[in-house]
Amino acid sequence: MGKNFARKSIDPVGESKPRIDAREKVTGEGLYADDIQFGNKLLHARIKRSSYPHALIKKVDISKALALPGVKAIVTGDDFEGYIGLYLKDRHIFCRDRVRYVGDPVAGVAATTEAIAEQAVALIDVEYEPLVPVFDPEFGASPQAPLLHPDLGQYAVASFILPEAGTNISNHFKIRKGDVASAWGKCKAVIERHYRIPHIQHVPIEPHVAIAKVDEDGEITLWDSSQSPFAQRDLIAEALGVSQSNMRVIAPLVGGGFGGKAGVSMESLAVAIATKVNGYPVKLLLTREEEFYTAFVRQGMVAHLKMGCDESGKLLAMENTFYWDGGAYTEYGVNITRAAGYSCTGPYEVPNVRADSYCVYTNHPVGGPMRGFGMPEMHAGLEQCIDDLARQIGMDAVEFRRRNCLKANSILPTGGRMHPTGLSECLEKAAEAIDWGEKSPPSAPNKRRGKGLALMWKAPAMPGNAGSSAWIKLAEDGVLTVGIGAQDLGQGAFTVIAQMAAAAFGVPYESVRLATPVDTRYSPYEWQTVASRITWSTGNAIIKAAQDARHQVLELIAKAWDESPDDLDIVNGMVVSYKSEREIPVKNFAVQGLPKEGGKGWMGGPIIGHGNFIPSDVTGLDPETGQGEHAVVHYTTGAQAIDLEVDLDTGRIEILKGVAAFDVGKAINPELVKAQMEGGLVQGMSSALFECLKLKDGYVQNPSFVDYRIATAADIPKIVQSILVEVPQDDGPWGARGIGEHSMVATVPAIANAIYNAIGLRFDGPPFTAEKIYLAMLDAGIVKGSK
Amino acid sequence: MAIHPVHLTVNGHLEQVNVPSNMTLLVLLREVLALTGTKNGCSAGECGACTVLLNGEPVNSCMVLAVECDGAEVTTVEGLANDRQLDPVQEAIIQAGGVQCGFCTPGVLISSRALLNRNPEPSEEEIKEALVGNLCRCTGYFRIIEAVKQAAKG
């Protein structure tokens, strides 16, 4: 549908337009949630957090804290009995009887200053009865493990999530396809590998912040840094037992999300506290330290992988088991484990598959969505195995992937068929970009050079009915204002939305404004800005909204000119007739309408179009076999390739060149797409080389930028190359599909494969720190020295 | 807590403020002067989002006490543009696509401006070195570095 408009109008789709939000961001004018001024009535909140990984709460004594001057309110779990959670309602806003991780909120304070709130928190006495904690997901899944959620069987849960009551397994996703047991005998080579993927953090530079206010008649307003204003409205209202329409979320600029600001986490704390101090705005701003251990973490994961192929290199079977360290609550994490389950083979056609993906409660920080939603963790080991299996049968790793990777109509692990995909093209282009197959010399005698490559796939992981909507209205000057509920997290959604609206209606890009910030009272519904779904899903809603507005315009002019709407078009803000060659600027009638002939009144009226979109064909999967017709809406596929050097004196890795090639269907804004591919590659590189949330007995050991290192400007690849492949998505706007998260999925295994190529060593998981590599080289006799 | 009178120039404007001993320059800028363009990313001098020019030198404003700034000249991101005319480094970062979420951008711009003031033709390595204290989680830094190169060319 979008294509027709695109052909006829001046078409900003496919052009690298400058960001619509760039100017306000470079001048400092743009408002982030913590920048909004609330005046003297603003109260500051701090949270009393559990100091035990697992304990019963025997008593909470707030009397001393309440007596502190400046303290306005203190709340505890006794005040809020509701459950909250996206897919599995397994947590209270404040702990009621039990704490399950170090940092679990036990009480909240609102005071006139942050210092007083902090003092009050220190004065709250909590008496605990420590319980035996669980820190290993594999042990946690066993019958010997103490139960962390005895009420698991009673929790409300989405239909496609399968908890096992009486265990710590909050989701068990299975694939049973073909006959794995008998397939091994037909394999020429079979390998088995085990990997441990550590917890990591999202680390947006903007910490989480929420300001909540409840007015005298109970209307709640929440201003926050949010990927999910509508989901927050829904879930917080439900947990507090208020109507969704009495809960308003205003979501200004987001200083980075990466999944960590999706769903509901600390926002509910601010709202809950605010319900006790009507009329006062209450601000909760996480410290950087809290950001590390109380915000959603990327779950740790243990993978046991087994795969085999015949002598021609054809993959015959895979048997993959994933134990996810879901942490204390898995309300969001359960769906990550499902996504990894239905994508368990990676982007390959495998006739016989057995997979078990377990989401396991532990007494670690709460797992949640992070860029890639399980795919970076899952591919990290899988794509190393593919290299090893290829080597086992003496086949080049690119050739092996060429033979096995998904093509249009390949059969998926869930039983359905793959849509058209440019994966093979991505593979070829990524390999070519690092001169695959040619041995390149190291830059110095004390260095070893290596090349590696990995493929990936990822689908938007979301309920089958995750909806989008949009409206488009015209002003007196002919400028379009587009209402959306989607957020710009930095990925460029606002810019791409403006480009799509301009193209679909027929005005220049410069004639589009967005109705932001998103405000659930005025903005159209959007499920969440997650899953790399906005360009695709919101884009489809925008096309429908533009069609609606166009229809109103063209009907009016057809009537005025006595022509057929089929002969009319809107081009560059003008309605034109291809038949009579008349034209009229849209602004001449967009608000005022047009006079009828002979002064006999008016026709038309202010133009406003609306549109919505919901995926229509996602089917359920059989709970025992994971088989179904259409597991997901689509898969974005791609490849990353790495050329690196290992320093034999230090173990340090230097990335000489990083290459990303992704099939994005259609790049609405090619430079923004490339920017995603570059940023994701560096985030992936950072997780490969540096990042690990160090957990000891449930305590995060490195909750600061000094101890949890992320990539700086000095660490990046010397050369980066981004390659766009465009095999259109049949139901995507202009053929587009998402790219935001995919760009860090294949990076860890591509680097691991390059390290192996350089020094012949494998590791059981990232990060591949200089220390780890150097010690391994010592052990292997590659370098000489003592530890 | 003791309160101290402080006179300082911020973005060319003379300001007279009374600050408690423990107030940081970052808090003074954001909460007293409402110059919220300077961002708070860690309050520990580690992320660079709060970088401002203090007497021409880039500093983490969360690590400077306001009381130390008596008589000082401070430039924040709001002071880079001159009467709506963007600084070349602001213009370049838009053109190069070096802005994503924008939260590190004010600090990045200030560090870049400081670099170009002392070294109008920096090498790529010098640019990286100048930006090593400004963490960015979105861009992978490539387009930021490109922007500084473009701004240097003028």
Side-chain angles (χ1 to χ4, degrees), chain A residues 19 23 25-26 29 32 34-35 201-203 255-256 288 489-490 671 676 678-679 683 691 705-706 711-712 716, chain B residues 30 36-37 39-41 46-47 77 84 86 90 93 99-103 109 128 132 135 137-138 140-143:
Chain A
R19 291 183 72 102
R23 192 175 170 103
K25 287 178 172 175
V26 304
E29 283 172 86
Y32 297 77
D34 192 35
D35 300 339
Q201 253 306 357
H202 305 71
V203 197
R288 182 54 65 179
L489 318 173
E671 287 303 314
Q676 284 307 295
E678 294 162 10
Q683 195 168 9
E691 295 183 37
F705 280 130
V706 169
T712 71
I716 61 175
Chain B
R30 285 184 57 83
T36 55
K39 301 305 182 199
N40 176 11
E46 293 161 5
C47 76
V77 68
R84 301 293 291 166
L86 296 182
Q90 289 173 307
I93 205 168
V99 178
Q100 286 194 26
C101 86
F103 204 78
L109 290 170
K128 287 181 179 177
V132 86
L135 297 179
R137 193 59 152 171
C138 297
Y141 305 98
F142 303 105
R143 287 164 193 266

Short mmCIF file of all heavy atoms in Angstrom, two decimals, chain A residues 19 23 25-26 29 32 34-35 201-203 255-256 288 489-490 671 676 678-679 683 691 705-706 711-712 716, chain B residues 30 36-37 39-41 46-47 77 84 86 90 93 99-103 109 128 132 135 137-138 140-143:
data_model
loop_
_atom_site.label_atom_id
_atom_site.label_comp_id
_atom_site.label_asym_id
_atom_site.label_seq_id
_atom_site.Cartn_x
_atom_site.Cartn_y
_atom_site.Cartn_z
N ARG A 19 18.24 13.73 11.53
CA ARG A 19 17.32 13.40 12.63
C ARG A 19 16.41 14.57 12.95
O ARG A 19 16.87 15.70 13.08
CB ARG A 19 18.10 13.06 13.90
CG ARG A 19 18.87 11.81 13.87
CD ARG A 19 19.50 11.59 15.23
NE ARG A 19 18.49 11.22 16.19
CZ ARG A 19 18.29 9.97 16.61
NH1 ARG A 19 19.05 9.00 16.19
NH2 ARG A 19 17.33 9.70 17.48
N ARG A 23 18.55 18.79 16.62
CA ARG A 23 18.86 20.14 17.06
C ARG A 23 18.60 20.32 18.56
O ARG A 23 19.42 20.87 19.29
CB ARG A 23 18.08 21.17 16.24
CG ARG A 23 18.62 22.57 16.49
CD ARG A 23 17.97 23.62 15.63
NE ARG A 23 18.39 24.92 16.13
CZ ARG A 23 19.31 25.70 15.56
NH1 ARG A 23 19.88 25.32 14.44
NH2 ARG A 23 19.67 26.83 16.12
N LYS A 25 18.73 18.16 20.75
CA LYS A 25 19.69 17.37 21.52
C LYS A 25 21.09 18.00 21.54
O LYS A 25 21.83 17.79 22.49
CB LYS A 25 19.75 15.93 20.99
CG LYS A 25 18.51 15.11 21.36
CD LYS A 25 18.52 13.71 20.79
CE LYS A 25 17.36 12.88 21.35
NZ LYS A 25 17.27 11.54 20.73
N VAL A 26 21.45 18.75 20.50
CA VAL A 26 22.80 19.35 20.52
C VAL A 26 22.82 20.71 21.22
O VAL A 26 23.90 21.20 21.56
CB VAL A 26 23.43 19.50 19.10
CG1 VAL A 26 23.47 18.16 18.40
CG2 VAL A 26 22.71 20.53 18.27
N GLU A 29 18.48 21.87 24.70
CA GLU A 29 17.08 22.27 24.93
C GLU A 29 16.16 21.07 25.18
O GLU A 29 15.13 21.20 25.82
CB GLU A 29 16.54 23.02 23.72
CG GLU A 29 17.00 24.46 23.60
CD GLU A 29 16.57 25.04 22.27
OE1 GLU A 29 15.44 25.54 22.17
OE2 GLU A 29 17.38 24.99 21.32
N TYR A 32 14.70 15.75 29.02
CA TYR A 32 14.65 14.38 29.52
C TYR A 32 13.89 14.45 30.86
O TYR A 32 13.71 15.53 31.42
CB TYR A 32 16.06 13.84 29.72
CG TYR A 32 16.84 13.75 28.41
CD1 TYR A 32 17.39 14.90 27.83
CD2 TYR A 32 17.00 12.55 27.74
CE1 TYR A 32 18.09 14.82 26.62
CE2 TYR A 32 17.69 12.47 26.54
CZ TYR A 32 18.23 13.61 25.98
OH TYR A 32 18.91 13.54 24.79
N ASP A 34 14.44 13.89 33.92
CA ASP A 34 15.04 14.53 35.09
C ASP A 34 15.22 16.04 34.88
O ASP A 34 15.58 16.76 35.80
CB ASP A 34 16.39 13.87 35.40
CG ASP A 34 16.94 14.30 36.76
OD1 ASP A 34 16.13 14.49 37.69
OD2 ASP A 34 18.16 14.45 36.89
N ASP A 35 14.98 16.52 33.65
CA ASP A 35 15.15 17.94 33.37
C ASP A 35 13.88 18.75 33.65
O ASP A 35 13.92 19.98 33.69
CB ASP A 35 15.53 18.16 31.89
CG ASP A 35 16.84 17.47 31.52
OD1 ASP A 35 17.63 17.19 32.44
OD2 ASP A 35 17.04 17.22 30.33
N GLN A 201 24.86 -5.62 31.99
CA GLN A 201 23.90 -4.53 32.20
C GLN A 201 23.73 -3.71 30.92
O GLN A 201 24.60 -3.70 30.06
CB GLN A 201 24.35 -3.62 33.35
CG GLN A 201 23.54 -3.76 34.63
CD GLN A 201 22.03 -3.57 34.45
OE1 GLN A 201 21.53 -3.28 33.37
NE2 GLN A 201 21.29 -3.75 35.52
N HIS A 202 22.59 -3.03 30.85
CA HIS A 202 22.28 -2.22 29.66
C HIS A 202 23.16 -0.97 29.58
O HIS A 202 23.63 -0.61 28.52
CB HIS A 202 20.83 -1.76 29.71
CG HIS A 202 19.85 -2.88 29.87
ND1 HIS A 202 19.70 -3.59 31.03
CD2 HIS A 202 18.96 -3.41 29.00
CE1 HIS A 202 18.76 -4.51 30.87
NE2 HIS A 202 18.30 -4.42 29.66
N VAL A 203 23.32 -0.32 30.73
CA VAL A 203 24.13 0.88 30.85
C VAL A 203 23.73 2.00 29.90
O VAL A 203 24.54 2.50 29.11
CB VAL A 203 25.64 0.58 30.71
CG1 VAL A 203 26.45 1.74 31.25
CG2 VAL A 203 26.02 -0.69 31.43
N GLY A 255 17.17 8.80 27.36
CA GLY A 255 18.63 8.83 27.20
C GLY A 255 19.23 7.44 27.10
O GLY A 255 20.15 7.11 27.84
N GLY A 256 18.68 6.64 26.21
CA GLY A 256 19.15 5.27 26.02
C GLY A 256 18.28 4.30 26.80
O GLY A 256 17.91 4.56 27.95
N ARG A 288 23.84 5.54 39.92
CA ARG A 288 24.49 4.63 38.97
C ARG A 288 24.71 3.26 39.60
O ARG A 288 24.60 2.24 38.95
CB ARG A 288 25.80 5.25 38.48
CG ARG A 288 26.55 4.44 37.46
CD ARG A 288 25.74 4.04 36.23
NE ARG A 288 25.31 5.13 35.40
CZ ARG A 288 24.60 4.98 34.28
NH1 ARG A 288 24.25 3.77 33.86
NH2 ARG A 288 24.21 6.03 33.60
N LEU A 489 14.36 6.10 21.31
CA LEU A 489 15.34 5.80 22.36
C LEU A 489 16.73 6.20 21.92
O LEU A 489 17.71 5.89 22.59
CB LEU A 489 15.34 4.29 22.64
CG LEU A 489 13.98 3.61 22.70
CD1 LEU A 489 14.14 2.11 22.81
CD2 LEU A 489 13.17 4.15 23.86
N GLY A 490 16.80 6.85 20.76
CA GLY A 490 18.08 7.12 20.14
C GLY A 490 18.20 6.38 18.82
O GLY A 490 18.99 6.75 17.96
N GLU A 671 21.33 5.95 6.52
CA GLU A 671 22.37 6.32 7.49
C GLU A 671 21.96 5.97 8.92
O GLU A 671 22.79 5.59 9.74
CB GLU A 671 22.73 7.80 7.37
CG GLU A 671 23.54 8.13 6.11
CD GLU A 671 24.85 7.34 5.98
OE1 GLU A 671 25.58 7.25 6.98
OE2 GLU A 671 25.11 6.81 4.89
N GLN A 676 22.71 2.24 13.54
CA GLN A 676 22.32 1.14 14.42
C GLN A 676 23.31 -0.01 14.31
O GLN A 676 23.69 -0.63 15.30
CB GLN A 676 20.91 0.64 14.07
CG GLN A 676 19.80 1.54 14.56
CD GLN A 676 19.93 1.83 16.03
OE1 GLN A 676 19.81 0.95 16.88
NE2 GLN A 676 20.20 3.08 16.37
N GLU A 678 26.43 0.10 13.46
CA GLU A 678 27.72 0.46 14.07
C GLU A 678 27.63 0.41 15.59
O GLU A 678 28.49 -0.16 16.27
CB GLU A 678 28.13 1.88 13.65
CG GLU A 678 28.43 2.01 12.17
CD GLU A 678 28.40 3.47 11.71
OE1 GLU A 678 28.33 4.39 12.56
OE2 GLU A 678 28.44 3.69 10.49
N GLY A 679 26.61 1.06 16.12
CA GLY A 679 26.47 1.13 17.58
C GLY A 679 26.27 -0.25 18.19
O GLY A 679 26.82 -0.56 19.25
N GLN A 683 28.54 -2.23 20.91
CA GLN A 683 27.96 -2.76 22.15
C GLN A 683 28.22 -4.27 22.24
O GLN A 683 28.54 -4.79 23.31
CB GLN A 683 26.45 -2.46 22.23
CG GLN A 683 25.90 -2.67 23.63
CD GLN A 683 24.49 -2.13 23.84
OE1 GLN A 683 23.82 -1.73 22.89
NE2 GLN A 683 24.04 -2.14 25.07
N GLU A 691 32.57 -6.90 29.34
CA GLU A 691 31.44 -6.76 30.27
C GLU A 691 31.04 -8.06 30.96
O GLU A 691 30.84 -9.09 30.33
CB GLU A 691 30.23 -6.17 29.54
CG GLU A 691 30.48 -4.76 29.06
CD GLU A 691 29.27 -4.15 28.39
OE1 GLU A 691 28.14 -4.40 28.85
OE2 GLU A 691 29.46 -3.43 27.40
N PHE A 705 31.16 2.42 36.88
CA PHE A 705 31.82 2.46 35.58
C PHE A 705 33.30 2.12 35.67
O PHE A 705 33.92 1.74 34.68
CB PHE A 705 31.65 3.85 34.95
CG PHE A 705 30.33 4.06 34.31
CD1 PHE A 705 29.56 5.18 34.57
CD2 PHE A 705 29.82 3.13 33.39
CE1 PHE A 705 28.34 5.39 33.96
CE2 PHE A 705 28.60 3.33 32.77
CZ PHE A 705 27.85 4.46 33.05
N VAL A 706 33.90 2.29 36.85
CA VAL A 706 35.30 1.95 37.00
C VAL A 706 35.47 0.44 36.97
O VAL A 706 36.38 -0.11 36.33
CB VAL A 706 35.87 2.53 38.31
CG1 VAL A 706 37.25 1.96 38.61
CG2 VAL A 706 35.93 4.05 38.23
N ALA A 711 32.84 -0.09 26.48
CA ALA A 711 33.75 0.39 25.42
C ALA A 711 33.79 1.91 25.42
O ALA A 711 32.77 2.59 25.54
CB ALA A 711 33.29 -0.13 24.07
N THR A 712 35.00 2.45 25.27
CA THR A 712 35.19 3.89 25.10
C THR A 712 35.62 4.16 23.66
O THR A 712 35.83 3.22 22.88
CB THR A 712 36.29 4.42 26.04
OG1 THR A 712 37.56 3.94 25.55
CG2 THR A 712 36.09 3.95 27.47
N ILE A 716 37.33 1.13 19.97
CA ILE A 716 36.49 0.72 18.83
C ILE A 716 37.32 0.15 17.68
O ILE A 716 38.52 0.40 17.59
CB ILE A 716 35.63 1.90 18.33
CG1 ILE A 716 36.50 3.06 17.84
CG2 ILE A 716 34.68 2.35 19.43
CD1 ILE A 716 35.71 4.19 17.21
N ARG B 30 22.24 22.62 37.14
CA ARG B 30 20.95 21.99 36.82
C ARG B 30 19.81 22.47 37.71
O ARG B 30 18.71 22.73 37.24
CB ARG B 30 21.06 20.46 36.93
CG ARG B 30 21.82 19.81 35.79
CD ARG B 30 21.80 18.27 35.93
NE ARG B 30 20.45 17.75 36.00
CZ ARG B 30 19.70 17.50 34.94
NH1 ARG B 30 20.17 17.70 33.72
NH2 ARG B 30 18.46 17.03 35.08
N THR B 36 19.61 22.66 32.34
CA THR B 36 19.52 21.20 32.40
C THR B 36 20.14 20.52 31.19
O THR B 36 20.06 19.29 31.07
CB THR B 36 18.05 20.76 32.55
OG1 THR B 36 17.31 21.35 31.47
CG2 THR B 36 17.48 21.21 33.87
N GLY B 37 20.74 21.30 30.29
CA GLY B 37 21.43 20.68 29.16
C GLY B 37 22.60 19.81 29.61
O GLY B 37 22.92 18.80 29.00
N LYS B 39 24.14 16.99 31.69
CA LYS B 39 23.45 15.80 32.18
C LYS B 39 24.17 15.13 33.33
O LYS B 39 25.40 15.20 33.45
CB LYS B 39 23.29 14.79 31.04
CG LYS B 39 22.52 15.31 29.83
CD LYS B 39 21.15 15.85 30.21
CE LYS B 39 20.37 16.33 29.00
NZ LYS B 39 19.28 17.23 29.39
N ASN B 40 23.39 14.44 34.14
CA ASN B 40 23.91 13.67 35.26
C ASN B 40 23.81 12.19 34.94
O ASN B 40 22.73 11.63 34.94
CB ASN B 40 23.09 14.00 36.52
CG ASN B 40 23.51 13.16 37.71
OD1 ASN B 40 24.53 12.48 37.67
ND2 ASN B 40 22.71 13.19 38.76
N GLY B 41 24.95 11.57 34.67
CA GLY B 41 24.93 10.15 34.32
C GLY B 41 25.44 9.24 35.41
O GLY B 41 25.12 8.05 35.43
N GLU B 46 32.72 9.58 36.20
CA GLU B 46 33.13 8.44 35.38
C GLU B 46 32.55 8.42 33.98
O GLU B 46 33.08 7.73 33.10
CB GLU B 46 32.74 7.14 36.10
CG GLU B 46 33.53 6.93 37.39
CD GLU B 46 32.87 5.94 38.33
OE1 GLU B 46 31.85 5.34 37.94
OE2 GLU B 46 33.37 5.78 39.45
N CYS B 47 31.44 9.13 33.74
CA CYS B 47 30.78 8.98 32.44
C CYS B 47 30.95 10.18 31.52
O CYS B 47 30.76 10.06 30.31
CB CYS B 47 29.31 8.65 32.61
SG CYS B 47 28.28 10.06 33.10
N VAL B 77 26.66 23.37 27.51
CA VAL B 77 26.18 23.11 26.14
C VAL B 77 25.26 24.24 25.66
O VAL B 77 25.26 24.60 24.48
CB VAL B 77 25.50 21.73 26.06
CG1 VAL B 77 24.18 21.71 26.84
CG2 VAL B 77 25.27 21.32 24.61
N ARG B 84 21.41 31.41 18.25
CA ARG B 84 20.82 30.38 17.38
C ARG B 84 21.78 29.86 16.32
O ARG B 84 21.46 28.93 15.59
CB ARG B 84 19.52 30.85 16.70
CG ARG B 84 18.41 31.27 17.65
CD ARG B 84 17.84 30.11 18.46
NE ARG B 84 17.09 29.16 17.64
CZ ARG B 84 16.73 27.94 18.08
NH1 ARG B 84 17.04 27.56 19.31
NH2 ARG B 84 16.03 27.13 17.32
N LEU B 86 24.59 27.63 15.43
CA LEU B 86 25.25 26.52 16.10
C LEU B 86 26.76 26.61 15.98
O LEU B 86 27.29 27.09 14.97
CB LEU B 86 24.78 25.18 15.51
CG LEU B 86 23.30 24.82 15.68
CD1 LEU B 86 23.03 23.43 15.07
CD2 LEU B 86 22.86 24.85 17.14
N GLN B 90 28.63 21.42 16.87
CA GLN B 90 27.21 21.03 16.95
C GLN B 90 26.67 20.71 15.56
O GLN B 90 25.96 19.72 15.36
CB GLN B 90 26.38 22.18 17.56
CG GLN B 90 26.62 22.38 19.06
CD GLN B 90 25.91 23.63 19.57
OE1 GLN B 90 26.07 24.72 19.03
NE2 GLN B 90 25.11 23.47 20.63
N ILE B 93 28.10 17.38 14.28
CA ILE B 93 27.62 16.13 14.90
C ILE B 93 26.22 15.79 14.36
O ILE B 93 25.85 14.62 14.24
CB ILE B 93 27.68 16.20 16.44
CG1 ILE B 93 27.79 14.78 17.03
CG2 ILE B 93 26.48 16.92 17.02
CD1 ILE B 93 28.13 14.73 18.50
N VAL B 99 24.55 11.83 16.77
CA VAL B 99 23.60 11.94 17.88
C VAL B 99 22.63 10.78 17.80
O VAL B 99 22.05 10.54 16.75
CB VAL B 99 22.79 13.25 17.78
CG1 VAL B 99 21.75 13.33 18.92
CG2 VAL B 99 23.69 14.46 17.82
N GLN B 100 22.47 10.05 18.89
CA GLN B 100 21.37 9.09 18.95
C GLN B 100 20.46 9.48 20.12
O GLN B 100 19.64 10.37 19.98
CB GLN B 100 21.88 7.65 19.00
CG GLN B 100 22.41 7.20 17.62
CD GLN B 100 22.62 5.71 17.51
OE1 GLN B 100 22.00 4.90 18.18
NE2 GLN B 100 23.53 5.31 16.62
N CYS B 101 20.64 8.84 21.28
CA CYS B 101 19.74 9.21 22.38
C CYS B 101 20.01 10.63 22.85
O CYS B 101 19.14 11.29 23.39
CB CYS B 101 19.84 8.21 23.53
SG CYS B 101 21.15 8.53 24.72
N GLY B 102 21.23 11.11 22.65
CA GLY B 102 21.54 12.51 22.94
C GLY B 102 21.97 12.79 24.36
O GLY B 102 22.30 13.93 24.68
N PHE B 103 21.99 11.77 25.21
CA PHE B 103 22.28 12.05 26.62
C PHE B 103 23.76 12.32 26.86
O PHE B 103 24.12 13.12 27.72
CB PHE B 103 21.81 10.88 27.50
CG PHE B 103 21.53 11.28 28.91
CD1 PHE B 103 20.36 11.95 29.24
CD2 PHE B 103 22.43 11.02 29.93
CE1 PHE B 103 20.09 12.33 30.55
CE2 PHE B 103 22.18 11.41 31.24
CZ PHE B 103 21.00 12.06 31.55
N LEU B 109 30.09 17.24 23.14
CA LEU B 109 30.29 18.52 22.44
C LEU B 109 31.27 19.41 23.19
O LEU B 109 32.14 20.03 22.58
CB LEU B 109 28.94 19.24 22.28
CG LEU B 109 27.96 18.59 21.29
CD1 LEU B 109 26.59 19.24 21.40
CD2 LEU B 109 28.49 18.69 19.86
N LYS B 128 40.18 10.58 19.74
CA LYS B 128 39.76 9.46 20.61
C LYS B 128 40.21 9.71 22.05
O LYS B 128 39.47 9.46 23.00
CB LYS B 128 40.34 8.15 20.10
CG LYS B 128 39.66 7.62 18.84
CD LYS B 128 40.28 6.30 18.42
CE LYS B 128 39.60 5.75 17.17
NZ LYS B 128 40.22 4.50 16.71
N VAL B 132 37.81 10.00 25.47
CA VAL B 132 37.83 8.72 26.18
C VAL B 132 37.05 8.80 27.50
O VAL B 132 36.55 7.81 28.01
CB VAL B 132 39.29 8.23 26.35
CG1 VAL B 132 39.93 8.81 27.58
CG2 VAL B 132 39.36 6.73 26.30
N LEU B 135 31.50 8.62 27.93
CA LEU B 135 30.92 7.34 27.54
C LEU B 135 29.68 7.56 26.68
O LEU B 135 28.85 8.42 26.96
CB LEU B 135 30.53 6.53 28.78
CG LEU B 135 31.69 6.13 29.70
CD1 LEU B 135 31.15 5.34 30.90
CD2 LEU B 135 32.73 5.31 28.94
N ARG B 137 26.76 5.01 24.76
CA ARG B 137 26.32 3.63 24.63
C ARG B 137 25.62 3.37 23.29
O ARG B 137 25.36 2.23 22.95
CB ARG B 137 25.38 3.29 25.79
CG ARG B 137 25.07 1.82 25.98
CD ARG B 137 26.29 0.96 26.24
NE ARG B 137 25.96 -0.22 27.02
CZ ARG B 137 26.81 -1.22 27.24
NH1 ARG B 137 28.03 -1.18 26.74
NH2 ARG B 137 26.45 -2.25 27.98
N CYS B 138 25.31 4.44 22.56
CA CYS B 138 24.50 4.27 21.34
C CYS B 138 25.31 4.17 20.06
O CYS B 138 25.04 3.34 19.22
CB CYS B 138 23.54 5.44 21.17
SG CYS B 138 22.31 5.66 22.45
N GLY B 140 28.65 3.91 19.13
CA GLY B 140 29.90 3.24 18.80
C GLY B 140 31.00 4.24 18.48
O GLY B 140 32.07 3.85 18.02
N TYR B 141 30.73 5.51 18.68
CA TYR B 141 31.70 6.61 18.61
C TYR B 141 32.14 7.00 17.19
O TYR B 141 32.68 8.09 16.98
CB TYR B 141 32.98 6.33 19.43
CG TYR B 141 32.72 6.00 20.88
CD1 TYR B 141 32.68 4.70 21.34
CD2 TYR B 141 32.49 7.02 21.80
CE1 TYR B 141 32.44 4.40 22.67
CE2 TYR B 141 32.25 6.74 23.14
CZ TYR B 141 32.24 5.42 23.57
OH TYR B 141 32.01 5.12 24.89
N PHE B 142 31.93 6.14 16.19
CA PHE B 142 32.50 6.41 14.86
C PHE B 142 32.05 7.77 14.32
O PHE B 142 32.85 8.55 13.82
CB PHE B 142 32.08 5.32 13.86
CG PHE B 142 32.46 3.94 14.27
CD1 PHE B 142 31.51 3.05 14.76
CD2 PHE B 142 33.78 3.52 14.18
CE1 PHE B 142 31.86 1.77 15.15
CE2 PHE B 142 34.14 2.23 14.57
CZ PHE B 142 33.18 1.36 15.06
N ARG B 143 30.75 8.02 14.42
CA ARG B 143 30.20 9.25 13.83
C ARG B 143 30.52 10.48 14.69
O ARG B 143 30.53 11.60 14.19
CB ARG B 143 28.69 9.10 13.61
CG ARG B 143 28.39 8.16 12.46
CD ARG B 143 26.96 7.68 12.41
NE ARG B 143 26.86 6.57 11.47
CZ ARG B 143 26.51 6.72 10.18
NH1 ARG B 143 26.16 7.90 9.72
NH2 ARG B 143 26.48 5.67 9.37
#
